[in-house]
Amino acid sequence: MHRRHKPSAPEHKRDFAAHGGALSVSHNEMRSFFNFSQLVLSAGHLRSPPVLKHSKVTYFEVEILDVQSKKQICIVDKVPPSSTLLDVKHKFHKACPQWYPSRVGLQLERNGPYLKDSISIQSLAVSSIITLYFTDLGQQVSWTTFFLTEYTGPLLIYLLFYIRLSTIYDQVESTKNFRHPVVHLACFCHCLHYTRHLLETLFVHKFSGGHTPLKNMIKGCAFYWGFTSWIAYYINHPRYTPPSFGHRQVSFAALTFLMCEAGNHFINVALAQQNHSGFKACFPSPTYNPFTWLFLLVSCPNYTYEVGSWISFTVMTQTLPVGIFAFLMVIQMSLWAKKKHKLYLKRFYPEVRRKAAMIPVIF
């Protein structure tokens, strides 16, 4: 009978160690592989991340000197290259609160022109230090305030004379004398003219300059308000005499006045639409609107229509103050048109060279 041989203790341990060792080795390998996978997943890409290159930003220092004494007022430091001159003015205002940005005039040279707020600092830089000359421009007002004040005055002043206040005219004489229809028509036309100016100032015109000295507004108001008082006093006077040719003269002049007012408005709207659209590389061209066809003959038709309004108003009322005012307006408008025409010749020479500035053939 064969006995079943039991393995001896060393052999049994050896076999168990062999099997158990194999199991333990495979278990350790799995754990190591799992740990390595977790490490790879947490680390992301095996490739080393690129080294970031730190870009060096060059800052400028703006030295501001007094234009008269050449003494240093302040230094505006750490100005980024992307900054504009308006940004420098704001920093200058923080250092010197008595001069707000619109009051500050900066020049590259003492006798040079004032730099625009939109110009970039980088375009002015020759080195890291920029020297600018400061001029106090005085108290400033916005262009919107300027025109609203200038045009509101004539509108109200004329109405005060139209109602014939007892402090201006003799009350007995005012009630006795009959008003000619041209007096009422002149009041309507005058109010229409300045109401159009006010509405265009608010809703049509876009002013690029920003501000103007307060003294300019005082001069403009003195001119317009003074002439309006003179004109309104004569037209609304109880002893005012109607035009020599009567109804025909008044009707023709009133019709011309209304056409010039309409033309002036449509020209201003056309110019504003061109500026809003951003197409500034070509000269304004006439549209389907007949009032814009004047662009074919002159470069500044808005001045043409403005002068036409005052000449027709002179014919309609037949008064000396209106005639003097219209004559001064012709001179002023022709100077503005000539200046703008020169700018147009530099920018749009082929399109403008055969056009007149304001009045065909004459100017």
Side-chain angles (χ1 to χ4, degrees):
M1 193 174 171
H2 296 282
R3 291 185 177 178
R4 190 174 179 180
H5 294 281
K6 295 183 179 179
S8 62
E11 290 177 356
H12 175 73
K13 292 180 179 178
R14 188 167 54 247
D15 293 339
F16 178 77
H19 292 286
L23 291 174
S24 63
V25 168
S26 62
H27 180 70
N28 290 336
E29 288 177 354
M30 291 295 294
R31 181 178 295 178
S32 300
F33 179 77
F34 176 79
N35 292 337
F36 178 74
S37 301
Q38 290 293 107
L39 179 63
V40 171
L41 292 175
S42 62
H45 297 287
L46 294 176
R47 184 183 303 176
S48 60
V51 179
L52 296 177
K53 296 182 181 180
H54 298 282
S55 58
K56 296 182 179 179
V57 179
T58 304
Y59 291 95
F60 296 101
E61 288 187 358
V62 181
E63 181 187 25
I64 300 179
L65 308 179
D66 183 76
V67 72
Q68 300 294 336
S69 62
K70 293 185 180 181
K71 292 182 179 180
Q72 185 185 96
I73 299 177
C74 75
I75 293 180
V76 181
D77 56 353
K78 294 184 179 180
V79 179
S82 59
S83 298
T84 62
L85 198 68
L86 184 60
D87 299 328
V88 174
K89 288 184 178 181
H90 282 291
K91 292 186 177 182
F92 178 65
H93 173 58
K94 291 182 179 179
C96 305
Q98 67 271 28
W99 293 307
Y100 49 89
S102 61
R103 188 168 182 163
V104 176
L106 297 177
Q107 304 160 272
L108 272 177
E109 301 175 356
R110 296 182 65 188
N111 298 325
Y114 293 114
L115 300 173
K116 294 183 178 180
D117 292 344
S118 59
I119 192 170
S120 65
I121 291 299
Q122 195 169 14
S123 63
L124 302 175
V126 179
S127 63
S128 60
I129 300 177
I130 304 172
T131 302
L132 298 176
Y133 293 94
F134 161 75
T135 302
D136 183 9
L137 300 177
Q139 191 171 357
Q140 304 285 302
V141 294
S142 66
W143 280 108
T144 303
T145 303
F146 175 89
F147 287 113
L148 290 179
T149 306
E150 190 176 68
Y151 296 143
T152 303
L155 183 63
L156 299 178
I157 290 172
Y158 197 97
L159 292 175
L160 291 177
F161 283 92
Y162 176 74
I163 62 178
R164 289 184 176 178
L165 295 176
S166 58
T167 55
I168 301 176
Y169 303 110
D170 182 72
Q171 196 67 22
V172 177
E173 194 175 21
S174 298
T175 55
K176 185 185 299 184
N177 292 346
F178 171 75
R179 290 197 187 193
H180 193 275
V182 71
V183 175
H184 304 291
L185 182 61
C187 180
F188 170 77
C189 292
H190 191 275
C191 293
L192 176 66
H193 177 79
Y194 284 103
T195 301
R196 177 184 62 80
H197 275 303
L198 290 173
L199 293 176
E200 288 178 354
T201 301
L202 293 174
F203 303 110
V204 177
H205 296 301
K206 297 296 180 182
F207 306 104
S208 58
H211 295 81
T212 184
L214 177 62
K215 60 182 181 181
N216 289 346
M217 189 179 75
I218 296 175
K219 291 179 181 178
C221 290
F223 177 77
Y224 278 95
W225 294 17
F227 263 102
T228 300
S229 302
W230 192 21
I231 291 170
Y233 177 80
Y234 269 79
I235 296 176
N236 297 285
H237 198 281
R239 296 183 182 180
Y240 168 75
T241 55
S244 303
F245 296 96
H247 180 71
R248 290 184 179 180
Q249 179 178 343
V250 173
S251 301
F252 174 77
L255 181 61
T256 306
F257 178 87
L258 295 176
M259 291 179 62
C260 289
E261 287 295 303
N264 202 340
H265 172 70
F266 287 121
I267 291 295
N268 289 332
V269 170
L271 293 174
Q273 288 178 349
Q274 183 201 23
N275 293 336
H276 293 170
S277 62
F279 295 102
K280 297 183 180 180
C282 60
F283 183 76
S285 57
T287 63
Y288 64 88
N289 191 334
F291 290 101
T292 62
W293 295 350
L294 200 57
F295 272 122
L296 298 173
L297 301 176
V298 297
S299 60
C300 304
N302 51 332
Y303 296 149
T304 308
Y305 283 123
E306 183 75 13
V307 168
S309 295
W310 286 111
I311 293 177
S312 59
F313 193 77
T314 303
V315 175
M316 181 176 62
T317 58
Q318 196 175 311
T319 53
L320 180 63
V322 183
I324 296 175
F325 182 75
F327 176 73
L328 295 177
M329 290 297 289
V330 170
I331 296 176
Q332 183 63 72
M333 294 293 169
S334 62
L335 294 175
W336 288 344
K338 185 178 180 181
K339 182 178 179 180
K340 186 174 289 188
H341 187 71
K342 288 183 178 179
L343 296 177
Y344 284 153
L345 285 174
K346 292 180 181 179
R347 297 178 59 187
F348 318 113
Y349 175 73
E351 302 171 83
V352 185
R353 63 188 181 92
R354 292 186 179 181
K355 301 180 189 293
M358 188 178 72
I359 301 178
V361 181
I362 299 177
F363 294 103

